[in-house]
Amino acid sequence: MTGETLRRSTEAVRNIMHRRMATVERGVDRLSEAVLAVDELPMHVDESVAQAPVDAGQSLDMVKDARHQIDALFGQENA
Amino acid sequence: MHCLDKRMLKRFLKLPGIPSEQERAQSLENEMIRKEGKIGGTLFGPTPHGLRREFFCLDEYTWVWHEEWNDKGGNHRVRNTRYDIRPDGIVKSQNGKHYQRISQKEAARLLDAAHAYEKRVRRELYSATA
């Protein structure tokens, strides 16, 4: 292996780790904002709102995408 | 270089059957999420015997609680609880159905868990990148 290959690979690994940590940080930030929104909801909110009909199609797609990702993540261990 | 970096680098370079750098990067990222999930699964105390629990940040808008166990009949059971983070609140679904908005109490617990998760993965997985 050349020094250049090693340098590039090391950089790639560091980038992946940086990216994951940044994703987690943003995830916590988004969650914090959403929790504030939950706190501001009126207590009598109709639970049927949770069905989110406006973007139900999009949500289903997201679930399918997530299932693929989850299968990819855990499939090897489940096999 | 931090020892974790060395392990990750070795893994990155020797992923079998994955030729392109992009695919190796995706595979390694998935592996990092699995490691995060194992750490996340320990945040809620010990699990009953035979139960495997993972908790992780899938992306910035999605948190996942994943549990697997065998029931009394020996059937393998899986429960994926997914929290979708939206600007106006948090919606939960289990095994891809039954969407429901979560309560203030559950949202607060989820946020506590996410803060603990962030601290743990930063310390145990990503401290070398700081």
Side-chain angles (χ1 to χ4, degrees), chain B residues 2 5 9 18 40 43-44 47 53 56 59 78-79 83-84 100 102-104 108 113 127:
Chain B
H2 189 278
D5 267 15
L9 178 60
I18 304 180
L43 296 174
F44 308 91
T47 55
R53 175 186 295 150
F56 58 92
D59 58 45
V78 176
R79 179 166 55 217
Y83 293 94
D84 286 339
Q100 59 181 327
I102 68 173
S103 67
Q104 292 177 358
S127 60

Side-chain angles (χ1 to χ4, degrees), chain A residues 20 30 63 66 73 78, chain B residues 34 36 57 60 68 82 99:
Chain A
R20 272 308 300 169
R30 303 282 185 214
V63 167
L73 286 168
N78 291 344
Chain B
R34 280 197 294 272
E36 291 176 25
C57 176
E60 65 184 285
E68 293 184 33
R82 171 191 164 110
Y99 273 77

Side-chain angles (χ1 to χ4, degrees), chain B residues 59-73:
Chain B
D59 58 45
E60 65 184 285
Y61 298 102
T62 314
W63 292 81
V64 176
W65 172 291
H66 176 89
E67 287 187 333
E68 293 184 33
W69 70 98
N70 288 325
D71 65 17
K72 289 177 182 173

Side-chain angles (χ1 to χ4, degrees), chain B:
Chain B
M1 183 187 294
H2 189 278
C3 61
L4 178 64
D5 267 15
K6 284 182 180 173
R7 283 203 303 273
M8 288 296 109
L9 178 60
K10 192 175 175 184
R11 182 90 181 101
F12 182 77
L13 291 169
K14 293 190 174 178
L15 285 168
I18 304 180
S20 83
E21 187 169 314
Q22 188 177 4
E23 288 172 313
R24 289 203 305 273
Q26 184 59 58
S27 179
L28 187 62
E29 186 165 352
N30 287 348
E31 189 168 319
M32 298 311 298
I33 297 175
R34 280 197 294 272
K35 287 178 185 291
E36 291 176 25
K38 285 181 180 170
I39 291 171
T42 66
L43 296 174
F44 308 91
T47 55
H49 179 69
L51 176 76
R52 188 162 74 86
R53 175 186 295 150
E54 317 275 351
F55 174 73
F56 58 92
C57 176
L58 183 63
D59 58 45
E60 65 184 285
Y61 298 102
T62 314
W63 292 81
V64 176
W65 172 291
H66 176 89
E67 287 187 333
E68 293 184 33
W69 70 98
N70 288 325
D71 65 17
K72 289 177 182 173
N75 301 306
H76 188 64
R77 301 287 185 187
V78 176
R79 179 166 55 217
N80 277 314
T81 304
R82 171 191 164 110
Y83 293 94
D84 286 339
I85 313 305
R86 302 178 179 189
D88 60 342
I90 303 164
V91 176
K92 175 171 82 171
S93 69
Q94 289 197 319
N95 292 341
K97 50 192 175 184
H98 305 309
Y99 273 77
Q100 59 181 327
R101 196 177 289 277
I102 68 173
S103 67
Q104 292 177 358
K105 191 175 177 182
E106 184 170 359
R109 284 201 303 262
L110 179 62
L111 182 57
D112 285 345
H115 279 304
Y117 174 93
E118 181 183 9
K119 283 182 187 170
R120 288 276 306 275
V121 300
R122 183 190 304 282
R123 188 175 67 228
E124 296 174 31
L125 292 179
Y126 304 127
S127 60
T129 65

Side-chain angles (χ1 to χ4, degrees), chain A residues 1 4 10 14-16 19 21 30-31 44 46-47 52 55 70-71 74 76-77:
Chain A
M1 181 188 308
E4 176 60 15
T10 302
R14 281 190 177 278
N15 285 342
I16 292 164
R19 192 162 63 231
M21 192 64 237
R30 303 282 185 214
L31 182 56
H44 63 271
D46 184 347
E47 284 303 311
D55 58 358
I70 290 165
D71 287 346
F74 294 103
Q76 292 171 341
E77 294 185 17

